[in-house]
Amino acid sequence: MDLTFSEEQDELRKVVRSFLAKHSDEADVRRLAADPHGYDGVVWRRMATELGLQGLAVPEEYGGFGFGYVDLGIVFEEAGRALLGGPYFATVALAAEALLRCDDAQARRDLLPGIAAGETVATLALTEESGRWDEPGIRLTAHDRAGGWRLTGAKTYVPDGHLADLLLVAARTLGGISLFAVEADAPGLARTPLPTLDQTRKQARLEFTDTPARLLGTEGTAWPALERTLATASVLLAAEQVGGAAAALDAAVDYAGIRVQYGRPIGSFQGIKHKCADMLVEIESARSAAYGGLWALDADDEAEIAIAAALAQAFCSETFTRVAADNIQVHGGIGFTWEHPAHLYFKRAKSSEMLLGTPSYHRELLAARIGI
Amino acid sequence: MEVDFGPAVRDFRDELRDWLADHLVGEFADHRGVGGPTDGAAWEVRLAWDRELSAGNWLGVGWPREYGGRGLGLLEEIVFEYEYARANAPYRATVNALDLLGPMLLKVGGETQKKRFLPPILAVEELWGQGFSEPGAGSDLASVRTRADRDGDSWVVNGQKVWTSFGMHADWLYVLTRTDPQSVRHKGLTMLLLPTDQPGVEIRPIRNLAGQDEFAEVFLSDARTGADMVVGEVGQGWRTAMATLGIERGTTLLPQQLTFEREAEAVIDLARDRGALDDPMLRRRIVDAWISVRIMRTTNLRTLAELTAGRTPGAQATTAKLYASTRHQQLGQLATELAGPAGQVVGEDYGLDTRQRSFLLALAETIYGGSSEIQRNIIGEQLLGLPKEPRP
């Protein structure tokens, strides 16, 4: 039974936490939130070269370190705790995973080493105006013309879409759903950053006008790989949400220990103490949901992954949002200000709820997958 | 996710599975899943089942051989509980002695006490009741007032205990007493073993809200026990009691969770029969119930994995009780709602079916073993380090 963390994994957590404490403190988070560019290139490189974070779970033959998803989940949990700004989720959880799942070894050899080395920022462009994450939501079309494939249509709400060097685009061909790689400087590609409620995670709208693209794998067969990619990303996002919730609880507990009212720290009142206790109960339950997904991914158990991923998104999304809101409540008036970081977590929580589909959507996925 | 405990214990597991398949038959099979920490149903059958287990040498899997146990490790104990729950065998009537008193004696009892009391527990020859709670001391055990005074070679005990699970069947009680009348709170308490077969002990069953004789109140009037019946040291009863409660919190969740899983599956089947799966509001609650039991399972697996790896379990080991007890109540309410008017009719003499029993008995789960409010205090103060409540 390998359902606990090894000493090496504890060490990985420590190293990542300490790195992010230095390079993603509140000032960094605010600076990057205000900056449309949204990430620090130097830190990004150091994440890759010093810690190997972008290539952690990428197999060694593609320039990565071949670690498992539990290890990667630890990094996402810590990234969530630190509200790490920038395209880590888009690059690692979405794009690298999509490349690993698509049936195209040549593309993996061409594209993954750059991601692992921290040289390529990448993302997956799947959603369109409807905001749907399912197969029918993909309407953008691709045509095979003389000289290769061309894309026409629009993608939007694409995480870090305006920052990415490499865009993996889900499109509809005569054969069905296919996956394409598009370079950032491809002709006929227009990218517009979207102002977002959660400023710590950027989104963009992408317009394709007869844009040249490289087909990955076999035409018309991409949906299963994309579905698996979304399941993996759901689990990693859940780990990130757990980290964010844990940080929000830590903040609430710290404050409840020092803020005095009626002559005692407010944390000694059951009204506050019990709220904090309930927050921890939810977080530990969310941890189980997220870790269950990570273990399923490492076991490569297809049916279990499908179930655990939907469950993790449904549960961890709501946990993070509830805990982040409770943190504001525990802080009282100060928690409602722009200056206090509590709202940064709350906004990240709510936007993460939508990032891969709402909790209701994932509940329905789960219901279908367990035959309810 | 099938739980695999590795090749080392696979033979043990297979032996157990075979034994259960051979012996969980007839009347025992008819009482699958019956009983629980607060369920007094089918007492005689369950006692007979305990004797069957004893004859098969399945009680005290982790206890040393010299006291009648199998002398195996934590992993085998866990496998036993898991397979036992998987087979849905009746809840053990002697669980109080097996899971609480026995481990307590093994931990802090004297050698003579172990030799005297442990083998009869495993042989189901002596039944035990716990005398901790009092009318004035439920979750606040430090308020215990039952007094024990030394008189020559004896202790003389006076006071009242309550909520003693299955106390009316007990041959012996393990009782938390105050031996220093000047002491306050948790100082000056002593743990005593006390025979019930004497004029100074009067035990009256209390009927629970499910209509069962599940627990008892115990009146002690100049009840006597020997000076050698102190567990641990005189004045250290608090430490002894806390060790017991720690054991209680650790061992009960795994079999419980398997029961909850069965109930959740039954809820889904019932909902399907009633066409309730098409009702979006009910549908959401049903999926959430399924999510809850799945999360309980993973949480327990995390704790088990840490225990078997020799690590100190994380915060989830403490939060699990609050989560499970709360979610189980929601499951019971949902099941009762789905059963509709037909589910509101009970049998003769307030005879309850499995669903009705579970629904009602779940109300105790947020009270026993430390109420939810106490759990929140423990989580807030011990896990999160929040300032203590002011105490007089």
Side-chain angles (χ1 to χ4, degrees):
Chain A
M1 232 186 351
D2 189 19
L3 303 181
T4 184
F5 294 108
S6 65
E7 279 173 31
E8 290 76 17
Q9 287 167 332
D10 289 345
E11 189 55 31
L12 171 69
R13 185 185 295 280
K14 234 183 268 174
V15 167
V16 174
R17 187 178 293 190
S18 135
F19 179 88
L20 292 175
K22 255 181 255 158
H23 300 293
S24 180
D25 67 8
E26 188 188 337
D28 295 320
V29 170
R30 286 180 182 277
R31 179 169 50 81
L32 298 176
D35 177 355
H37 192 62
Y39 76 106
D40 185 324
V42 176
V43 173
W44 181 257
R45 275 304 174 87
R46 291 185 59 186
M47 282 168 63
T49 54
E50 291 174 22
L51 304 181
L53 298 186
Q54 285 89 326
L56 197 67
V58 171
E60 289 172 62
E61 56 177 316
Y62 305 124
F65 294 91
F67 282 54
Y69 286 99
V70 169
D71 305 283
L72 194 56
I74 290 170
V75 179
F76 274 98
E77 197 177 334
E78 293 307 316
R81 184 182 281 275
L83 275 188
L84 175 66
Y88 188 68
F89 182 83
T91 302
V92 175
L94 291 172
E97 183 65 19
L99 284 169
L100 284 169
R101 295 302 145 205
C102 79
D103 182 26
D104 194 332
Q106 186 58 48
R108 279 198 282 280
R109 280 194 290 274
D110 292 346
L111 301 174
L112 279 170
I115 288 177
E119 287 156 6
T120 308
V121 167
T123 191
L124 173 67
L126 195 145
T127 48
E128 303 181 9
E129 295 298 345
S130 68
R132 292 171 65 159
W133 282 96
D134 54 7
E135 193 177 355
I138 299 167
R139 312 294 288 271
L140 180 141
T141 54
H143 294 280
D144 192 6
R145 304 250 170 79
W149 288 90
R150 307 270 168 156
L151 304 182
T152 296
K155 292 285 177 183
T156 190
Y157 322 117
V158 179
D160 301 297
H162 59 299
L163 307 173
D165 309 301
L166 170 67
L167 305 157
L168 302 181
V169 184
R172 196 168 280 280
T173 65
L174 290 176
I177 303 297
S178 310
L179 187 64
F180 294 88
V182 176
E183 302 291 329
D185 56 3
L189 170 63
R191 308 198 285 176
T192 317
L194 300 170
T196 45
L197 190 70
D198 166 26
Q199 298 174 297
T200 68
R201 181 142 44 212
K202 313 296 184 191
Q203 297 180 10
R205 180 183 165 81
L206 312 174
E207 303 220 27
F208 301 85
T209 313
D210 213 28
T211 308
R214 171 182 177 178
L215 175 68
L216 304 180
T218 314
E219 188 212 330
T221 64
W223 182 247
L226 283 169
E227 202 171 25
R228 171 66 181 266
T229 300
L230 292 175
T232 304
S234 290
V235 173
L236 294 172
L237 180 60
E240 193 196 278
Q241 288 165 321
V242 166
L249 173 58
D250 285 351
V253 166
D254 285 348
Y255 188 72
I258 54 163
R259 169 69 170 170
V260 172
Q261 290 279 269
Y262 307 102
R264 347 184 323 213
I266 60 172
S268 71
F269 292 106
Q270 288 196 347
I272 299 293
K273 181 176 296 171
H274 288 189
K275 184 184 281 293
C276 291
D278 284 335
M279 289 157 86
L280 184 63
V281 173
E282 288 301 305
I283 289 170
E284 284 301 332
S285 305
R287 273 210 168 95
S288 293
Y291 293 175
L294 293 171
W295 289 317
L297 285 170
D298 275 340
D300 202 25
D301 178 338
E302 205 66 52
E304 181 59 29
I305 290 168
I307 290 169
L311 185 153
Q313 258 316 287
F315 195 88
C316 299
S317 284
E318 290 182 352
T319 295
F320 188 14
T321 300
R322 190 177 316 130
V323 169
D326 282 345
N327 179 38
I328 292 177
Q329 179 70 20
V330 168
H331 275 83
I334 189 71
F336 185 65
T337 64
W338 189 268
E339 282 68 28
H340 198 278
H343 72 101
L344 299 173
Y345 283 91
F346 179 72
K347 290 169 184 169
R348 169 67 79 87
K350 202 63 194 172
S351 82
S352 301
E353 253 189 44
M354 317 296 150
L355 188 63
L356 297 177
T358 64
S360 300
Y361 170 67
H362 284 281
R363 264 197 199 83
E364 270 310 312
L365 278 185
L366 175 63
R369 287 167 183 177
I370 61 177
I372 288 183
Chain B
M1 202 189 316
E2 174 66 21
V3 183
D4 185 7
F5 296 94
V9 291
R10 213 161 279 155
D11 288 347
F12 174 81
R13 184 198 65 186
D14 292 345
E15 185 196 346
L16 174 56
R17 279 191 184 174
D18 289 347
W19 189 91
L20 284 168
D22 289 345
H23 292 259
L24 191 55
V25 294
E27 195 177 21
F28 299 141
D30 295 339
H31 288 81
R32 277 206 188 90
V34 169
T38 66
D39 189 349
W43 178 260
E44 292 303 327
V45 174
R46 289 162 53 202
L47 204 55
W49 170 245
D50 275 28
R51 295 206 172 95
E52 188 81 8
L53 284 166
S54 175
N57 197 20
W58 290 109
L59 297 182
V61 164
W63 295 16
R65 288 168 172 273
E66 53 188 306
Y67 309 122
R70 281 212 183 195
L72 299 174
L74 175 68
L75 204 53
E76 284 85 358
E77 284 190 74
I78 291 168
V79 169
F80 175 78
E81 293 298 345
Y82 187 81
E83 291 297 327
Y84 189 87
R86 216 178 66 101
N88 206 15
Y91 193 85
R92 296 191 289 284
T94 54
V95 72
N96 203 4
L98 291 171
D99 287 4
L100 300 175
L101 174 70
M104 178 177 92
L105 285 178
L106 286 170
K107 211 167 169 181
V108 291
E111 193 51 36
T112 318
Q113 292 172 341
K114 291 185 206 175
K115 286 205 172 104
R116 161 67 186 82
F117 291 113
L118 294 177
I121 289 175
L122 296 186
V124 199
E125 286 166 357
E126 283 177 347
L127 303 188
W128 284 82
Q130 182 192 66
F132 282 13
S133 296
E134 298 183 4
S139 291
D140 180 16
L141 279 183
S143 301
V144 157
R145 282 163 52 183
T146 292
R147 272 194 48 186
D149 297 290
R150 189 67 186 264
D151 176 27
D153 281 347
S154 307
W155 290 96
V156 181
V157 187
N158 281 283
Q160 186 188 344
K161 293 289 176 181
V162 74
W163 315 131
T164 304
S165 292
F166 313 123
M168 52 285 178
H169 306 294
D171 303 300
W172 284 79
L173 301 166
Y174 52 109
V175 187
L176 193 58
T177 64
R178 191 166 293 281
T179 43
D180 176 0
Q182 305 302 318
S183 66
V184 289
R185 305 294 304 157
H186 57 274
K187 298 187 184 79
L189 297 174
T190 299
M191 185 75 70
L192 289 176
L193 307 178
L194 182 98
T196 58
D197 184 20
Q198 56 171 314
V201 178
E202 190 196 341
I203 301 176
R204 297 181 198 153
I206 304 173
R207 217 145 63 111
N208 69 17
L209 53 65
Q212 305 165 338
D213 285 342
E214 169 224 332
F215 33 52
E217 52 187 342
V218 179
F219 298 89
L220 303 167
S221 320
D222 288 337
R224 297 184 85 91
T225 194
D228 54 349
M229 290 295 142
V230 173
V231 185
E233 289 170 37
V234 174
Q236 295 296 318
W238 178 256
R239 191 178 293 174
T240 307
M242 286 305 108
T244 314
L245 292 178
I247 295 162
E248 182 174 28
R249 286 185 191 121
T251 49
T252 51
L253 288 170
L254 187 69
Q256 261 194 356
Q257 155 237 318
L258 283 174
T259 305
F260 297 170
E261 285 184 14
R262 276 192 199 96
E263 290 178 5
E265 292 302 330
V267 159
I268 292 168
D269 289 344
L270 180 62
R272 191 172 285 121
D273 286 351
R274 297 287 154 101
L277 289 175
D278 301 327
D279 177 327
M281 304 297 275
L282 284 171
R283 186 176 174 78
R284 176 181 174 138
R285 288 168 63 194
I286 291 159
V287 175
D288 280 347
W290 194 91
I291 288 176
S292 295
V293 292
R294 175 53 83 95
I295 282 179
M296 286 177 211
R297 183 202 292 196
T298 314
T299 300
N300 289 338
L301 290 178
R302 286 170 63 197
T303 303
L304 292 182
E306 287 163 347
L307 283 172
T308 49
R311 295 185 151 212
T312 307
Q316 86 285 347
T318 308
T319 59
K321 195 239 180 197
L322 185 52
Y323 184 80
S325 56
T326 314
R327 298 296 176 123
H328 188 222
Q329 285 179 1
Q330 290 170 4
L331 179 63
Q333 294 185 14
L334 177 60
T336 304
E337 225 173 290
L338 289 170
Q344 297 294 301
V345 178
V346 301
E348 297 283 315
D349 300 322
Y350 210 68
L352 304 173
D353 63 27
T354 308
R355 180 169 52 231
Q356 291 165 334
R357 262 205 340 268
S358 182
F359 163 62
L360 291 177
L361 296 176
L363 290 167
E365 288 162 20
T366 47
I367 300 172
Y368 67 67
S371 69
S372 292
E373 289 69 27
I374 292 292
Q375 298 295 330
R376 290 190 179 94
N377 275 1
I378 291 170
I379 293 165
E381 293 173 12
Q382 293 176 16
L383 295 183
L384 295 174
L386 284 166
K388 287 195 182 306
E389 277 189 275
R391 291 194 173 112

